[in-house]
Amino acid sequence: MDREEPGVLPPGHAEVRIVAASPETARIVADVLRRCFAGGEQRSYPAPGGGTRLHLTVDTAHTAESARSWLATSRPPSGSGPHAEEP
């Protein structure tokens, strides 16, 4: 996916991180996301302490109908921001 600057996503795109105990579990979650959103190639890395970390970029502008209705009615969480273990 072409980006203007490193770390900057095009409008409507989101970077998703999946951390799982096994590569298969991470792939199952990524497959579900790909059924809802168009996406690019996934990237897989070892997770600290074992397991797998998988990164996937999704395009929220190209969604399945079920995801589109969910996005239209969802609200941002009240405690938005990174998790304690994320930078």
Side-chain angles (χ1 to χ4, degrees):
M1 192 162 293
D2 294 330
R3 297 181 183 171
E4 294 176 11
E5 298 177 30
V8 176
L9 295 172
H13 287 72
E15 181 76 22
V16 178
R17 292 183 185 183
I18 302 165
V19 179
S22 72
E24 182 59 27
T25 301
R27 277 192 293 271
I28 289 168
V29 174
D31 287 344
V32 169
L33 288 171
R34 279 194 292 274
R35 286 186 194 127
C36 295
F37 303 101
E41 288 292 316
Q42 63 191 33
R43 286 117 20 232
S44 175
Y45 309 93
T52 297
R53 185 178 66 197
L54 190 142
H55 293 188
L56 175 68
T57 302
V58 296
D59 180 355
T60 63
H62 296 92
T63 61
E65 196 57 43
S66 60
R68 189 178 313 267
S69 63
W70 176 83
L71 286 169
T73 60
S74 67
R75 290 185 260 172
S78 59
S80 61
H83 291 275
E85 66 273 359
E86 291 185 10

